[in-house]
Amino acid sequence: MTPQLWLWLGFAGMAAGAAAILFMGKRRTPAEEADTIIHGIVPIIAACSYFAMATGQGSIVLPAGPDAAEAARQFYFARYIDWTFTTPLLLLGLSRTAMHSGMRRPAIVWGLIGSDLIMIVTALAFGLSTVAWIKWTWFAISCGAFLAVFYGIFVQLREENAAERADVQSAFRRNAVFLTVVWCIYPVVLLVGQDGLGILSPAMALGVVALSDLTAKVAYGVVATRETTRAVDRDLAEGRTPAAPLRRAA
């Protein structure tokens, strides 16, 4: 497939995915409504990004660098704008799953989002750089911020999730592993794609990113929305409506 076909596929898949998530998501409680909106907005933002890239408005031509075989490369800056909005929303949704009974420690969420934004901005600087030592320094910083995101998920959020009932703990573990496995694909593609070592062809790199995006934003959104629905089913059956944060004892 050509790069253009992958971009249009990404646009169509995101648009269809957003409609599916918003249609299947329920709004019986404030928590359920918020999760439906969060996971529905994510592919809408991504669809806009893919439309911009497919129509030529979301990319620029940059020098390939002194060691590259080609003189120029297409740099898709729209995907970084997409990630700046969508990945914090995904982390917010995951945090809400971890602390289903109430957002007890919002500082953890802010730390996750801050680390995530540092990761994205430094990855953007990596992609824009043409001087080797500057490029790879930005890449290393971005990977460090990526590790900080994992720490927030698997240490801090997991600690808070331990206070929830067993089904919520299982849902959080499944969602965290799902999202983490997919997200690990991105730095590898950046490393070996046209913005990095140039091992992957532009079409192949776009294809891998498009499929990863569809998995992380549409497939994950469907899974996370269903997990929330199951948790709220039990809440309602037991006469509980999670909406307001729980207060810690002084």
Side-chain angles (χ1 to χ4, degrees):
M1 292 177 65
T2 65
Q4 204 70 7
L5 284 175
W6 280 117
L7 293 172
W8 283 115
L9 175 65
F11 167 70
M14 292 297 179
I21 291 169
L22 291 173
F23 177 78
M24 69 176 285
K26 298 180 181 180
R27 296 166 176 82
R28 295 169 295 177
T29 67
E32 193 173 35
E33 181 178 46
D35 284 358
T36 296
I37 292 171
I38 287 169
H39 292 295
I41 286 177
V42 165
I44 291 174
I45 295 171
C48 294
S49 169
Y50 272 93
F51 181 77
M53 291 187 288
T55 56
Q57 295 180 314
S59 64
I60 55 175
V61 177
L62 292 177
D67 300 326
E70 299 179 0
R73 60 189 166 100
Q74 201 77 15
F75 180 71
Y76 294 94
F77 65 85
R79 65 170 50 140
Y80 294 89
I81 299 174
D82 167 351
W83 294 340
T84 298
F85 291 97
T86 57
T87 53
L89 285 172
L90 290 170
L91 288 170
L92 175 60
L94 183 62
S95 299
R96 291 175 60 83
T97 299
M99 294 181 276
H100 177 70
S101 60
M103 192 64 72
R104 299 178 291 277
R105 292 181 64 192
I108 293 177
V109 184
W110 286 115
L112 275 170
I113 291 174
S115 299
D116 177 61
L117 292 177
I118 292 170
M119 175 185 70
I120 294 166
V121 171
T122 52
L124 172 63
F126 159 77
L128 289 170
S129 300
T130 56
V131 178
W133 75 268
I134 297 176
K135 173 184 284 291
W136 295 111
T137 300
W138 283 127
F139 184 78
I141 296 172
S142 183
C143 289
F146 197 29
L147 292 175
V149 172
F150 286 163
Y151 175 82
I153 293 173
F154 289 103
V155 176
Q156 295 176 308
L157 280 186
R158 189 165 171 267
E159 288 174 352
E160 289 302 309
N161 181 244
E164 303 288 341
R165 63 179 190 252
D167 63 311
V168 175
Q169 292 182 33
S170 297
F172 168 71
R173 286 195 297 269
R174 286 193 294 269
N175 289 1
V177 171
F178 187 128
L179 203 55
T180 296
V181 169
V182 179
W183 277 1
C184 283
I185 297 172
Y186 291 94
V188 176
V189 175
L190 291 180
L191 175 66
V192 300
Q194 294 301 298
D195 295 337
L197 299 173
I199 297 172
L200 288 183
S201 68
M204 185 174 293
L206 276 175
V208 174
V209 171
L211 293 174
S212 300
D213 276 347
L214 288 168
T215 303
K217 294 168 178 139
V218 175
Y220 174 78
V222 170
V223 169
T225 302
R226 291 182 64 183
E227 294 281 11
T228 300
T229 297
R230 281 194 286 266
V232 172
D233 284 342
R234 180 166 174 179
D235 292 333
L236 296 176
E238 296 178 355
R240 294 181 300 200
T241 304
L246 298 178
R247 294 185 181 274
R248 286 184 178 272

